[in-house]
Amino acid sequence: DGGITQSPKYLFRKEGQNVTLSCEQNLNHDAMYWYRQDPGQGLRLIYYSQIVNDFQKGDIAEGYSVSREKKESFPLTVTSAQKNPTAFYLCASSKTGGNEQFFGPGTRLTVL
Amino acid sequence: AQSVAQPEDQVNVAEGNPLTVKCTYSVSGNPYLFWYVQYPNRGLQFLLKYITGDNLVKGSYGFEAEFNKSQTSFHLKKPSALVSDSALYFCAVRDSGGYNKLIFGAGTRLAVHP
């Protein structure tokens, strides 16, 4: 998990509320990613960013938003439009042109 | 469509025995393949990768994987399993569309029994 931090570790949200998950990396990586993990489904890509001020939708972007104002930071907002937000969220980063991604420890979001 | 399949939801092995976790892939062009391990409530840890070269790739914690182009497989192996190897294992392939996107399999839970 070294080099990438996610906070908080656990997050509880009421229905209808937006919530923002933090992801910070000190690896000097250009690319950052957000994944959602549900039991038995592996990881699904929500958003990714190759450089500052640029990001692309992944496979399941609906109901989520991101920003990339700094190289080190890639926060994810789970909006009230996300119908089933309870999941484990993982942030990752990689070098430009690099291959393996390095993952943070994750945030478990529960909607009450 | 590009995809990764891990045909076994769970693999059970006795400690000291060899283990194999299976992975097959479908991707256009030359595949970039990865194995990750996840312990409960933790992020994924990188184990090994195949980009090019020798078909047998050695990685962390004594794990290795064999790339087989004709069978489009990339099975993870270890000669002697440890109880501490019990975890969730993910195979992934780089999306040939670029941007270093990874496509993950659904994961295989490895249980090593004493």
Side-chain angles (χ1 to χ4, degrees):
Chain A
D1 298 345
I4 302 179
T5 58
Q6 292 185 242
S7 62
K9 187 174 178 65
Y10 298 96
L11 188 56
F12 298 90
R13 189 195 92 175
K14 293 183 180 179
E15 283 191 21
Q17 289 182 335
N18 292 355
V19 64
T20 298
L21 282 59
S22 171
C23 177
E24 304 275 336
Q25 54 98 1
N26 62 3
L27 300 170
N28 199 33
H29 287 169
D30 287 309
M32 297 187 74
Y33 312 81
W34 274 106
Y35 293 91
R36 171 181 171 138
Q37 184 178 14
D38 296 282
Q41 294 193 43
L43 277 68
R44 292 182 290 168
L45 183 65
I46 304 172
Y47 268 98
Y48 61 101
S49 168
Q50 299 296 304
I51 56 173
V52 174
N53 293 322
D54 183 61
F55 48 83
Q56 307 293 329
K57 292 183 178 180
D59 301 319
I60 55 165
E62 185 176 353
Y64 300 97
S65 66
V66 293
S67 63
R68 187 85 187 275
E69 297 177 0
K70 298 187 301 182
K71 186 175 184 178
E72 302 78 18
S73 177
F74 191 40
L76 173 74
T77 296
V78 184
T79 75
S80 57
Q82 169 50 234
K83 297 189 188 316
N84 185 21
T86 294
F88 191 50
Y89 290 87
L90 289 160
C91 179
S93 70
S94 70
K95 296 179 184 178
T96 301
N99 302 299
E100 64 267 33
Q101 294 179 13
F102 295 88
F103 284 80
T107 292
R108 186 166 297 281
L109 173 63
T110 302
V111 174
L112 304 173
Chain B
Q2 300 176 97
S3 64
V4 175
Q6 294 182 242
E8 301 154 317
D9 291 335
Q10 179 153 332
V11 170
N12 296 299
V13 178
E15 188 175 29
N17 282 2
L19 69 87
T20 298
V21 182
K22 296 179 181 178
C23 172
T24 59
Y25 65 90
S26 174
V27 65
S28 56
N30 293 322
Y32 287 20
L33 296 156
F34 306 85
W35 274 104
Y36 287 85
V37 60
Q38 185 181 35
Y39 295 97
N41 293 311
R42 301 289 298 276
L44 275 64
Q45 295 178 32
F46 170 74
L47 280 178
L48 51 79
K49 66 181 178 183
Y50 172 83
I51 305 298
T52 186
D54 195 345
N55 289 344
L56 185 62
V57 179
K58 294 191 182 297
S60 305
Y61 312 119
F63 284 94
E64 57 190 26
E66 186 169 11
F67 171 66
N68 188 315
K69 188 173 183 177
S70 63
Q71 297 185 6
T72 62
S73 68
F74 189 56
H75 301 332
L76 182 70
K77 300 181 180 184
K78 188 174 183 182
S80 179
L82 300 172
V83 172
S84 58
D85 293 330
S86 299
L88 188 56
Y89 290 81
F90 290 98
C91 181
V93 65
R94 181 177 174 179
D95 189 323
S96 59
Y99 296 112
N100 206 33
K101 289 171 58 179
L102 294 181
I103 301 167
F104 284 86
T108 297
R109 188 164 301 280
L110 174 67
V112 182
H113 305 284

